[in-house]
mmCIF file of all heavy atoms in Angstrom:
data_model
loop_
_atom_site.group_PDB
_atom_site.id
_atom_site.type_symbol
_atom_site.label_atom_id
_atom_site.label_comp_id
_atom_site.label_asym_id
_atom_site.label_seq_id
_atom_site.Cartn_x
_atom_site.Cartn_y
_atom_site.Cartn_z
ATOM 1 N N VAL A 158 123.699 79.572 103.651
ATOM 2 C CA VAL A 158 125.014 80.118 103.977
ATOM 3 C C VAL A 158 125.254 81.418 103.211
ATOM 4 O O VAL A 158 125.752 82.409 103.763
ATOM 5 C CB VAL A 158 126.125 79.095 103.661
ATOM 6 C CG1 VAL A 158 127.504 79.738 103.803
ATOM 7 C CG2 VAL A 158 126.014 77.893 104.589
ATOM 8 N N ARG A 159 124.878 81.430 101.923
ATOM 9 C CA ARG A 159 125.098 82.632 101.119
ATOM 10 C C ARG A 159 124.301 83.814 101.645
ATOM 11 O O ARG A 159 124.828 84.924 101.802
ATOM 12 C CB ARG A 159 124.717 82.376 99.662
ATOM 13 C CG ARG A 159 124.960 83.590 98.763
ATOM 14 C CD ARG A 159 124.229 83.485 97.439
ATOM 15 N NE ARG A 159 124.594 82.308 96.692
ATOM 16 C CZ ARG A 159 124.111 82.043 95.476
ATOM 17 N NH1 ARG A 159 123.237 82.876 94.916
ATOM 18 N NH2 ARG A 159 124.491 80.954 94.829
ATOM 19 N N PHE A 160 123.022 83.591 101.931
ATOM 20 C CA PHE A 160 122.172 84.681 102.413
ATOM 21 C C PHE A 160 122.661 85.205 103.768
ATOM 22 O O PHE A 160 122.683 86.418 104.002
ATOM 23 C CB PHE A 160 120.722 84.210 102.539
ATOM 24 C CG PHE A 160 120.059 83.919 101.219
ATOM 25 C CD1 PHE A 160 119.077 82.944 101.121
ATOM 26 C CD2 PHE A 160 120.419 84.611 100.079
ATOM 27 C CE1 PHE A 160 118.460 82.680 99.913
ATOM 28 C CE2 PHE A 160 119.806 84.349 98.856
ATOM 29 C CZ PHE A 160 118.825 83.382 98.777
ATOM 30 N N ASN A 161 123.022 84.299 104.656
ATOM 31 C CA ASN A 161 123.509 84.723 105.973
ATOM 32 C C ASN A 161 124.812 85.502 105.861
ATOM 33 O O ASN A 161 125.038 86.479 106.583
ATOM 34 C CB ASN A 161 123.695 83.516 106.887
ATOM 35 C CG ASN A 161 122.374 82.942 107.369
ATOM 36 O OD1 ASN A 161 121.368 83.645 107.402
ATOM 37 N ND2 ASN A 161 122.365 81.676 107.734
ATOM 38 N N ARG A 162 125.677 85.076 104.956
ATOM 39 C CA ARG A 162 126.944 85.782 104.755
ATOM 40 C C ARG A 162 126.698 87.195 104.237
ATOM 41 O O ARG A 162 127.297 88.159 104.716
ATOM 42 C CB ARG A 162 127.828 85.008 103.789
ATOM 43 C CG ARG A 162 129.194 85.669 103.554
ATOM 44 C CD ARG A 162 130.089 84.789 102.695
ATOM 45 N NE ARG A 162 129.550 84.599 101.375
ATOM 46 C CZ ARG A 162 129.322 83.406 100.807
ATOM 47 N NH1 ARG A 162 129.559 82.297 101.480
ATOM 48 N NH2 ARG A 162 128.843 83.318 99.585
ATOM 49 N N GLU A 163 125.793 87.323 103.294
ATOM 50 C CA GLU A 163 125.491 88.635 102.733
ATOM 51 C C GLU A 163 124.792 89.527 103.746
ATOM 52 O O GLU A 163 125.027 90.739 103.788
ATOM 53 C CB GLU A 163 124.618 88.472 101.487
ATOM 54 C CG GLU A 163 125.344 87.800 100.329
ATOM 55 C CD GLU A 163 124.431 87.505 99.152
ATOM 56 O OE1 GLU A 163 123.201 87.708 99.317
ATOM 57 O OE2 GLU A 163 124.929 87.090 98.103
ATOM 58 N N ARG A 164 123.953 88.930 104.599
ATOM 59 C CA ARG A 164 123.206 89.705 105.584
ATOM 60 C C ARG A 164 124.112 90.262 106.687
ATOM 61 O O ARG A 164 123.874 91.346 107.209
ATOM 62 C CB ARG A 164 122.107 88.837 106.202
ATOM 63 C CG ARG A 164 121.163 89.590 107.118
ATOM 64 C CD ARG A 164 120.123 88.660 107.714
ATOM 65 N NE ARG A 164 119.296 88.048 106.685
ATOM 66 C CZ ARG A 164 119.211 86.745 106.469
ATOM 67 N NH1 ARG A 164 119.908 85.897 107.223
ATOM 68 N NH2 ARG A 164 118.431 86.272 105.526
ATOM 69 N N THR A 165 125.135 89.515 107.033
ATOM 70 C CA THR A 165 125.986 89.906 108.167
ATOM 71 C C THR A 165 127.314 90.519 107.736
ATOM 72 O O THR A 165 128.154 90.796 108.571
ATOM 73 C CB THR A 165 126.273 88.687 109.057
ATOM 74 O OG1 THR A 165 126.938 87.667 108.284
ATOM 75 C CG2 THR A 165 124.983 88.111 109.618
ATOM 76 N N ARG A 166 127.502 90.708 106.438
ATOM 77 C CA ARG A 166 128.767 91.250 105.958
ATOM 78 C C ARG A 166 128.962 92.676 106.466
ATOM 79 O O ARG A 166 128.083 93.517 106.378
ATOM 80 C CB ARG A 166 128.806 91.231 104.434
ATOM 81 C CG ARG A 166 130.123 91.745 103.836
ATOM 82 C CD ARG A 166 130.086 91.593 102.335
ATOM 83 N NE ARG A 166 130.059 90.196 101.957
ATOM 84 C CZ ARG A 166 129.571 89.756 100.797
ATOM 85 N NH1 ARG A 166 129.046 90.596 99.934
ATOM 86 N NH2 ARG A 166 129.594 88.463 100.522
ATOM 87 N N ASP A 167 130.154 92.947 107.009
ATOM 88 C CA ASP A 167 130.509 94.276 107.507
ATOM 89 C C ASP A 167 131.753 94.726 106.773
ATOM 90 O O ASP A 167 132.851 94.209 106.995
ATOM 91 C CB ASP A 167 130.752 94.240 109.022
ATOM 92 C CG ASP A 167 131.043 95.630 109.597
ATOM 93 O OD1 ASP A 167 131.102 96.592 108.812
ATOM 94 O OD2 ASP A 167 131.211 95.737 110.822
ATOM 95 N N ALA A 168 131.609 95.712 105.907
ATOM 96 C CA ALA A 168 132.738 96.171 105.093
ATOM 97 C C ALA A 168 133.799 96.889 105.908
ATOM 98 O O ALA A 168 134.930 97.062 105.455
ATOM 99 C CB ALA A 168 132.228 97.096 103.987
#
Side-chain angles (χ1 to χ4, degrees):
V158 171
R159 181 197 302 183
F160 292 149
N161 287 336
R162 181 174 64 235
E163 293 174 353
R164 187 181 299 119
T165 59
R166 182 176 294 156
D167 183 357

